[in-house]
Amino acid sequence: MSNLDLECFRTDPYQPPYVNVLTRHINPVLTDLPEERVVLGPREQLCVPVAKNGVYPPPEVLDFIRFVDLSCYRIEGITVNRSLRLTQLNPQLQDVPDKSVTITRPQQLCVPVIKNGVYPPPEVLELVSYIDLKCYLAQPQTSMDRTLKLTHLNRVLSDLPDHYARVTYNRQLCVPVQKNNQPMSHYVYNIVQYIDLEKYDIQTPAFVTPYNLRINHINPDLTWLPTEPVTLYYGHQLALPVAKNGVIPPG
């Protein structure tokens, strides 16, 4: 998971049909937190895979990462007040020191989608369709204060140019959850349970013309939802892979 970097774009507002889902934490560090039902509120972001500073994931990893697209919806829930120590996993950010944060209230549920009807290969779809992340407000918020060059990895967005992003304050910690106790293979579970992403604000150029897409849900519990039109305006956050409390993902 050390190469899973997502640029999160502010989108136009969209309210999906009523969706009430049971969320259960699956990362070993947080499995003691209670299950919780949440309702999907308005869509706030679309997060898409990027490479940093021209350094691409290994080919076998890129084949998976380029299809990780997450649509993020506002939620409300129970405040947890859990203190955690975060370690950056991406090799380009190894000089960023570990830090302690406290996660408080849940703010978003990010769920897997595809863009413009382009599906990944079946073996990739089996994995990416179960990446569900619950994003909590994290404090304190401190600036990373560095500039990164971002390159889009998904072919649907290959016409978008490379661009620079100034990374500033951390805002959220997004952690993996299972929806409605839906079954997943042992192989899939062992991977998605370690997907923890820390979201930072970024400063990037806005699009001269807003960018329009269509997205469809691919998680088995949400495929009944209608196609959503999406307008992207500008990248405003960057989600970076982290480990919690020294529990480093295997492999």
Side-chain angles (χ1 to χ4, degrees):
M1 295 300 104
S2 61
N3 292 283
L4 181 58
D5 301 300
L6 303 180
E7 184 176 14
C8 297
F9 287 86
R10 183 78 71 189
T11 72
D12 56 328
Y14 174 85
Q15 175 62 56
Y18 180 79
V19 178
N20 181 310
V21 296
L22 179 69
T23 60
R24 183 176 72 86
H25 287 276
I26 57 176
N27 184 273
V29 176
L30 298 178
T31 51
D32 62 313
L33 291 178
E35 296 181 346
E36 179 178 35
R37 287 202 168 272
V38 298
V39 175
L40 295 190
R43 183 188 65 218
E44 296 181 326
Q45 293 176 318
L46 181 66
C47 300
V48 301
V50 291
K52 301 192 308 296
N53 294 339
V55 179
Y56 290 82
E60 66 278 8
V61 177
L62 178 60
D63 289 342
F64 150 67
I65 286 178
R66 65 165 28 120
F67 289 105
V68 179
D69 295 299
L70 302 178
S71 185
C72 298
Y73 301 84
R74 188 185 311 156
I75 61 170
E76 296 181 358
I78 301 167
T79 297
V80 298
N81 286 322
R82 176 64 62 89
S83 295
L84 300 165
R85 179 168 55 87
L86 302 184
T87 303
Q88 293 288 333
L89 292 179
N90 192 283
Q92 295 179 68
L93 297 177
Q94 293 301 294
D95 61 320
V96 176
D98 289 7
K99 66 181 177 184
S100 295
V101 300
T102 298
I103 58 172
T104 58
R105 58 186 175 88
Q107 295 182 313
Q108 290 179 327
L109 186 66
C110 298
V111 298
V113 295
I114 59 160
K115 303 188 303 291
N116 290 357
V118 178
Y119 281 84
E123 65 277 9
V124 176
L125 180 63
E126 179 190 7
L127 177 57
V128 300
S129 61
Y130 289 98
I131 300 176
D132 297 296
L133 302 182
K134 196 173 184 177
C135 299
Y136 288 85
L137 177 67
Q139 296 174 321
Q141 296 170 347
T142 56
S143 180
M144 185 181 289
D145 192 29
R146 68 176 59 198
T147 297
L148 301 170
K149 185 175 78 169
L150 305 182
T151 303
H152 287 282
L153 296 179
N154 188 281
R155 294 189 178 99
V156 174
L157 299 180
S158 60
D159 56 327
L160 292 179
D162 292 1
H163 56 287
Y164 287 93
R166 188 67 182 172
V167 186
T168 60
Y169 290 88
N170 62 298
R171 299 299 185 189
Q172 293 178 331
L173 180 65
C174 301
V175 298
V177 293
Q178 182 182 32
K179 297 197 313 292
N180 298 333
N181 292 316
Q182 61 184 181
M184 62 183 84
S185 72
H186 185 69
Y187 162 75
V188 170
Y189 188 91
N190 282 345
I191 294 175
V192 300
Q193 69 174 326
Y194 288 106
I195 299 178
D196 295 296
L197 301 179
E198 186 180 22
K199 278 187 187 173
Y200 286 80
D201 284 351
I202 57 174
Q203 298 168 356
T204 62
F207 293 136
V208 175
T209 302
Y211 198 91
N212 296 309
L213 295 165
R214 305 180 317 278
I215 61 173
N216 291 92
H217 290 269
I218 56 174
N219 182 271
D221 279 7
L222 298 181
T223 53
W224 61 272
L225 287 170
T227 299
E228 296 180 21
V230 182
T231 299
L232 307 183
Y233 293 105
Y234 58 94
H236 77 118
Q237 289 189 320
L238 184 64
L240 302 171
V242 293
K244 303 190 305 293
N245 292 356
V247 179
I248 306 298

